[in-house]
C-alpha cells in the first residue's frame, strides 16, 4: 500500500519553512511500513516458530502425557511393595471422578449414541489395559511385561491405518524400530536375554500373553479417543470421568475378591497415593488433547518419553544405578522421541 500527498508544492514549501514538524512528506517511491519485506528477520522467524508450535501443539501435549506417565510409574513402583496396585488403581479412579466438575454441559454440545459408546469404550479398554498390566506382573518379570506394554507405536500404527485410515510414514517406521530396540534394552525381558528356568517357563508365557492383551486394550482406547476427535466431540474431562468410574468398578471388584486392601502406614504413603492419582489425571488429559491434533502412532511414539523419565527419576530420586544396557536403551527411546519432534 502506497500513500500520496494531497498538497501542492507551494503549500509544502510554506509548511516546511514554518518548521511544521507534525507533517511528514511521504513520496510515492517509498514503500509503506506494511510491506512485509521491511520486517526484521528475527521477528519473522519468531512468528514462524510460534505458528509451527501452535500447529503441532499435539506433540507437546504428547510430551506432557509421557512425562506425567513416567512420574506416575515411578510413584507406583515406590508404593508397590506395601500398597496393592489394585488399591492404587481404585484411589486413582476416585481422583479421576473429580474431573466431572469440568465437563462442558453447554446446551450446544450434542452427543449421540456413537459418541457415548466411544467414551464408555475408552474407559473400559483403558482401565482394563492397566488392570491387565498389573495382573501380568504377577505372572512374569516386570521387564517381560514392560517390553510389550510400552511398545504402543507398533500396534497403534497398524490399527490406526486399518480402522482410522491414518497413513504410516516411512520415517515413523524407522523411529518405531529405534524405539522398540530401546524399550527392549531397558526392559531386558528374560525370554530374550535368557534367564528363564524350565519350571517358570509356563508362567512366563502366561504373563507375556496377558501383557499383550493389556497392550492391545490400551491401543484400542487410543483409537476410540482419536475417533472422537474426528467427530469433533472429544471432551477430556468427560473422558477422564468415565475412565475413573470404570476404574473404580473394576479395581473395587478385584479388591473385594482378593482382599488385598492395605492401610497406608506412613505419611509419605498417604501423600504418594493421591499424588499418583493426580499425575494419572493430568497424563490422561494431555493424552486426549494430544489425540485431538496428532495421529495415534505419533502420540504413542511421543508418549514413550515416559521410559527415560522413569529412568531419570530412578537415578536422581531413588539413586538406582542402571547398567550400561539400560542406559543405552533409555537414550535410544529419547532419541526416537526427539526424531519425532524434529520431523
Amino acid at each position: 500500500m502506497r500513500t500520496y500527498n494531497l498538497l501542492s508544492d507551494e503549500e509544502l514549501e510554506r509548511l516546511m519553512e514554518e518548521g511544521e514538524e507534525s507533517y511528514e512528506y511521504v513520496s510515492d517511491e517509498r514503500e509503506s511500513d506494511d510491506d512485509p519485506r521491511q520486517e526484521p528477520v528475527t521477528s519473522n522467524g519468531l512468528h514462524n516458530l510460534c505458528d509451527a508450535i501452535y500447529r503441532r501443539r499435539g506433540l507437546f501435549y504428547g510430551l506432557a502425557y509421557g512425562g506425567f506417565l513416567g512420574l506416575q510409574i515411578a510413584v507406583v513402583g515406590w508404593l508397590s511393595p506395601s500398597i496393592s496396585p489394585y488399591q492404587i488403581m481404585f484411589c486413582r479412579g476416585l481422583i479421576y471422578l473429580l474431573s466431572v466438575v469440568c465437563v462442558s454441559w453447554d446446551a450446544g454440545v450434542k452427543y449421540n449414541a456413537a459418541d457415548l459408546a466411544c467414551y464408555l469404550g475408552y474407559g473400559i479398554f483403558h482401565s482394563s489395559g492397566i488392570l491387565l498390566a498389573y495382573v501380568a506382573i504377577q505372572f512374569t518379570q516386570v521387564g517381560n511385561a514392560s517390553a510389550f506394554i510400552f511398545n504402543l507405536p507398533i500396534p497403534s500404527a497398524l490399527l490406526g491405518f486399518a480402522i482410522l485410515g491414518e497413513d504410516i510414514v516411512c520415517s515413523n517406521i524407522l523411529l518405531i524400530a529405534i524405539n522398540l530396540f530401546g524399550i527392549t534394552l531397558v526392559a531386558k525381558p528374560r525370554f530374550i536375554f535368557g534367564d528363564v528356568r524350565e519350571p517358570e517357563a509356563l508362567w512366563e508365557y502366561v504373563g507375556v500373553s496377558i501383557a499383550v492383551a493389556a497392550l492391545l486394550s490400551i491401543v484400542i482406547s487410543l483409537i476410540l479417543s482419536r475417533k472422537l476427535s474426528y467427530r469433533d466431540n472429544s471432551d477430556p474431562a468427560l473422558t477422564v470421568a468415565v475412565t475413573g468410574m470404570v476404574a473404580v468398578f473394576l479395581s473395587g471388584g478385584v479388591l473385594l475378591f482378593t482382599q488385598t486392601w492395605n492401610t497406608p502406614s506412613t505419611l509419605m504413603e498417604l501423600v504418594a497415593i493421591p499424588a499418583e492419582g493426580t499425575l494419572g489425571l493430568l497424563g490422561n488429559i494431555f493424552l486426549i488433547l494430544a489425540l485431538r491434533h496428532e495421529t495415534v502412532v505419533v502420540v504413542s511414539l511421543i508418549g514413550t518419553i515416559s521410559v527415560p523419565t522413569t529412568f531419570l527419576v530412578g537415578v536422581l530420586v531413588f539413586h538406582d544405578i542402571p547398567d550400561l544396557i539400560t542406559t543405552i536403551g533409555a537414550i535410544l527411546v529419547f532419541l526416537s522421541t526427539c526424531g519425532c519432534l524434529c520431523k
Side-chain angles (χ1 to χ4, degrees):
M1 178 179 178
R2 302 175 187 271
T3 56
Y4 301 91
N5 55 319
L6 301 178
L7 300 177
S8 65
D9 293 337
E10 293 80 9
E11 291 173 320
L12 284 172
E13 290 177 359
R14 180 173 57 82
L15 289 173
M16 293 175 66
E17 290 174 354
E18 293 175 358
E20 190 70 36
E21 299 178 356
S22 61
Y23 184 88
E24 180 181 356
Y25 174 81
V26 182
S27 70
D28 55 352
E29 294 296 326
R30 178 182 170 184
E31 296 290 344
S32 166
D33 291 339
D34 294 332
D35 190 345
R37 291 174 296 179
Q38 302 297 320
E39 293 183 4
V41 176
T42 55
S43 176
N44 190 37
L46 181 61
H47 173 76
N48 291 337
L49 177 61
C50 294
D51 181 64
I53 291 175
Y54 178 76
R55 284 186 291 105
R56 301 305 302 274
R57 58 192 180 277
L59 296 177
F60 299 95
Y61 290 144
L63 279 177
Y65 151 66
F68 283 119
L69 177 61
L71 294 174
Q72 180 186 356
I73 293 171
V75 175
V76 171
W78 181 77
L79 283 171
S80 57
S82 55
I83 305 295
S84 165
Y86 311 113
Q87 182 179 344
I88 297 173
M89 184 176 178
F90 180 84
C91 296
R92 183 194 310 149
L94 293 177
I95 293 177
Y96 282 15
L97 290 175
L98 298 177
S99 64
V100 73
V101 299
C102 300
V103 174
S104 175
W105 302 111
D106 188 3
V109 180
K110 302 293 184 182
Y111 299 106
N112 56 26
D115 296 327
L116 296 178
C118 287
Y119 278 112
L120 186 59
Y122 177 91
I124 292 174
F125 282 104
H126 187 82
S127 299
S128 299
I130 301 299
L131 186 65
L132 287 172
Y134 290 149
V135 174
I137 295 173
Q138 307 301 317
F139 290 93
T140 185
Q141 184 199 28
V142 175
N144 291 352
S146 301
F148 288 93
I149 297 169
F150 279 113
N151 271 305
L152 294 174
I154 295 177
S156 296
L158 298 176
L159 291 180
F161 175 77
I163 298 175
L164 301 176
E166 296 181 341
D167 294 333
I168 303 177
V169 185
C170 292
S171 58
N172 283 344
I173 296 176
L174 176 61
L175 293 174
I176 289 172
I178 296 173
N179 190 272
L180 169 63
F181 186 60
I183 290 175
T184 304
L185 292 180
V186 171
K188 293 193 290 295
R190 289 192 291 190
F191 66 89
I192 292 179
F193 285 80
D195 187 23
V196 182
R197 299 176 180 85
E198 190 64 29
E200 299 176 351
L202 176 61
W203 295 116
E204 291 286 344
Y205 287 115
V206 170
V208 167
S209 300
I210 297 174
V212 171
L215 169 66
L216 294 176
S217 184
I218 294 174
V219 170
I220 291 174
S221 72
L222 301 184
I223 297 291
L224 291 173
S225 181
R226 181 64 175 166
K227 185 71 173 178
L228 280 170
S229 69
Y230 280 130
R231 299 173 64 87
D232 200 25
N233 271 333
S234 178
D235 185 346
L238 180 58
T239 307
V240 172
V242 174
T243 304
M245 178 183 66
V246 176
V248 168
F249 178 78
L250 290 178
S251 58
V254 174
L255 286 170
L256 186 64
F257 179 75
T258 59
Q259 300 291 321
T260 53
W261 183 275
N262 297 317
T263 304
S265 57
T266 65
L267 178 61
M268 286 297 295
E269 290 177 351
L270 288 173
V271 173
I273 290 176
E276 189 275 340
T278 304
L279 291 171
L281 171 67
L282 295 174
N284 260 277
I285 289 176
F286 280 112
L287 169 62
I288 298 159
L289 289 173
L291 288 168
R292 278 184 175 182
H293 305 285
E294 297 292 340
T295 61
V296 175
V297 63
V298 170
V299 173
S300 59
L301 186 58
I302 289 290
T304 55
I305 195 67
S306 59
V307 175
T309 300
T310 306
F311 173 86
L312 287 177
V313 171
V315 172
L316 299 177
V317 179
F318 301 114
H319 305 292
D320 296 332
I321 307 301
D323 56 23
L324 180 61
I325 294 178
T326 302
T327 304
I328 293 174
I331 292 173
L332 288 175
V333 174
F334 178 74
L335 291 177
S336 68
T337 304
C338 292
C340 191
L341 287 173
C342 294
K343 284 198 312 175

